[in-house]
Amino acid sequence: MVVLVRRVAAEHEGHGLLGHCEQAALAAALRLRDQLGGTLTAVALGTAGHEEPVLQAALDAGCDRALRVDAPGQTSSLRPGRSLGYLAVATVLSAAVRRLGCDLLLCGDRGQDQGHGVIGPAVAELLGMPHLTGVLDARLDEAWIAAKGTGELALTAQQRSSGRLHRFRCRLPVVLCMLGAAQSAAGGALANRGAQEPRARAAADTARPRIEELGLGALDVDPGLLGSGASEPDAEPAQRAQLAQRSAADSHGSQAVMATSPADLVTRLVADHVLR
Amino acid sequence: MASILVYIEPAADAAGAGPLPSSLEALGEARRIATALGAPLYAAAPFLGPASGETDPDAEHKLVELLGRCGADRVVLMPMPMGTGPAMWASHGEALHAVYERVQPRLVLLSATRAGCDLAPRLAARARAQLMAEPRLQTDADGALALGDLERPVIATLRPGAHQPARGEDEAEVLLMQSAPAQPRNVEYLSSSEDPGAALDTARVIVVAGAGVRTAEGYALVGELAAALGAELGATHDLCARGLAPAHRVIDVGARRVAPALYIVCAASGSRTHLDAVSGNPDIIAINSDPEAPVFQVARYGIVGPIEDVIPALIEALAGRLPAAVSS
């Protein structure tokens, strides 16, 4: 099993180093690993300084292995926000996952910062694995497994889509993209505790798993895909309307009109036709 | 001549289901671009029917007629059985890719619904295309589309509600694909049920409780304000994580996005992970005991004070008034 983790951008770190969706993915991965057995590896792409805290947190939370794919000097090309950056990120991650061998991969449905939700489906495509996004919960389908009696494994997954909750049976191999949910709080707290309270390590503690590192040279990745990022124009000149970055023209002024009392607020809202 | 392709998501998993309104918006935006570029515009429309594969000719005609009036030059019908669950890659992906291979578009547009966000990245990865989220699609003085690397096709998702459907009287040519290629069985649809928080998805007025709500009584108080305004009640992730609000009410980038006209924020600081999930540029009213709370930088109206004091007085001052957005 593999879980993809990624450190959130600095301005989002008030909620921990992992986004809510990654927290949910990690919690689900740990639970499924305990049910299924096998090895759970946390994988991150980036520099040591940036990603090793989240990988250490994943190990502290109970992952069996942690792998950092090193991409020094390429970070600018590996932002999903660039129009081809998603493909570079997905290519590198899928190559690393392929090298590990995996029949169940979990990741966050979307990042806490950019929130585009593209990496999971793109990685699934490059791995040739089916995928499901918007997953709220995933459980071992013990009844189906027992009835099948072939050793084949399956999960039931609950997805939120189109105003409904949908249930699916997902036979392995599969990629599940997890939505952040309150039940992930336990996993998130566990994951982020490790990052916020690093444990002192005894010099002779060789049994504790260490973060493994893999360079791009060890992966069968087309260098041209990665090298193009540096000169590629930013193909997203228009950002999604983000309330925290609204211009003064959009936000009716740079600061709120402050009411002196609830009655004053209602008077203003009626005058501005916000209230009837 | 480069062509444009729009994915038309069915509004429901039912025989002859019509298109989702946001797909018609995407088609309208595609029509504008296609007219500027002189490019043919294709609409890829899953057409749901019984498992036998037979289709209702009348329903089929109505769909093609509608898509033609909404701007499509050609409609590619993709017959597929209903009962396969919501639109997504597992049910529609291979068929959509078959259309992509047939049409060879330079630009593909999908609405940024759950289905669109599920289909677009996988289609883009398969096609080695550029992928953009909610770009501004501008044509320059020479009529060329101002996009990134024009050597590669572009697949873009458009935010629902951000564009207008086209309205005309033109007819579209129909292209009928073969029945959808068999989908892999690894992801098998079982059943669906009500999403208890679904009303938030379409709510015009939302009152949200934030991390500053410390007690169940405080959360209930925010609920009273929502009821007084005829609004839906939401909550931030922190509140749900503390067990004060159910998970289905979370409004967060990683959970549920909303697009209200009026958004009342109670005891929430205004974190990016929360407010980035709110689109559509609503009027925001912020209630917070901290006058320095960042939410006051993005709100249109604000009032400083603890919710235990402000909300009861606000409900009394409302005296039954309702937001204009509730009835619009």
Side-chain angles (χ1 to χ4, degrees), chain B residues 48-72:
Chain B
L48 303 179
S52 63
E54 295 176 3
T55 57
D56 175 353
D58 285 341
E60 186 181 304
H61 174 75
K62 283 177 186 167
L63 177 61
V64 172
E65 194 179 51
L66 173 63
L67 295 178
R69 287 202 311 272
C70 288

Side-chain angles (χ1 to χ4, degrees), chain B residues 182-196:
Chain B
Q183 296 284 126
R185 298 295 297 163
N186 283 55
V187 179
E188 179 188 352
Y189 171 69
L190 296 177
S191 64
S192 71
S193 60
E194 185 184 342
D195 171 8

Side-chain angles (χ1 to χ4, degrees), chain B residues 5 23 58 78 101 173 193 209 226 241 244:
Chain B
L5 176 66
S23 289
D58 285 341
M78 304 184 289
E101 287 287 289
E173 180 186 343
S193 60
L244 289 178

Side-chain angles (χ1 to χ4, degrees), chain B residues 142-155:
Chain B
D142 295 326
L145 193 60
L147 286 176
D149 175 6
L150 295 179
E151 294 296 315
R152 295 177 185 259
V154 172
I155 295 174

Side-chain angles (χ1 to χ4, degrees), chain A residues 134-191:
Chain A
V135 179
L136 287 168
D137 188 37
R139 306 264 163 189
L140 200 61
D141 194 343
E142 293 174 338
W144 184 88
I145 293 169
K148 194 81 172 169
T150 59
E152 196 177 353
L153 296 173
L155 310 173
T156 52
Q158 185 182 63
Q159 181 207 51
R160 178 190 291 154
S161 171
S162 308
R164 304 273 294 171
L165 299 177
H166 307 283
R167 280 182 65 244
F168 293 88
R169 175 173 295 120
C170 302
R171 277 181 269 188
L172 274 54
V174 71
V175 174
L176 299 181
C177 307
M178 306 294 295
L179 281 176
Q183 56 264 33
S184 74
L190 195 59

Side-chain angles (χ1 to χ4, degrees), chain A residues 135-262:
Chain A
V135 179
L136 287 168
D137 188 37
R139 306 264 163 189
L140 200 61
D141 194 343
E142 293 174 338
W144 184 88
I145 293 169
K148 194 81 172 169
T150 59
E152 196 177 353
L153 296 173
L155 310 173
T156 52
Q158 185 182 63
Q159 181 207 51
R160 178 190 291 154
S161 171
S162 308
R164 304 273 294 171
L165 299 177
H166 307 283
R167 280 182 65 244
F168 293 88
R169 175 173 295 120
C170 302
R171 277 181 269 188
L172 274 54
V174 71
V175 174
L176 299 181
C177 307
M178 306 294 295
L179 281 176
Q183 56 264 33
S184 74
L190 195 59
N192 289 312
R193 186 184 69 212
Q196 293 157 8
E197 302 168 3
R199 289 185 270 175
R201 295 176 176 275
D205 191 359
T206 55
R208 193 188 302 276
R210 301 176 68 84
I211 298 171
E212 303 163 46
E213 180 183 317
L214 197 61
L216 290 178
L219 300 173
D220 184 19
V221 173
D222 175 8
L225 183 64
L226 304 176
S228 65
S231 59
E232 179 185 319
D234 190 340
E236 280 194 352
Q239 301 298 317
R240 271 180 299 124
Q242 293 190 2
L243 296 178
Q245 294 176 345
R246 281 191 307 177
S247 67
D250 290 340
S251 62
H252 314 285
S254 58
Q255 269 191 297
V257 171
M258 301 304 290
T260 56
S261 69

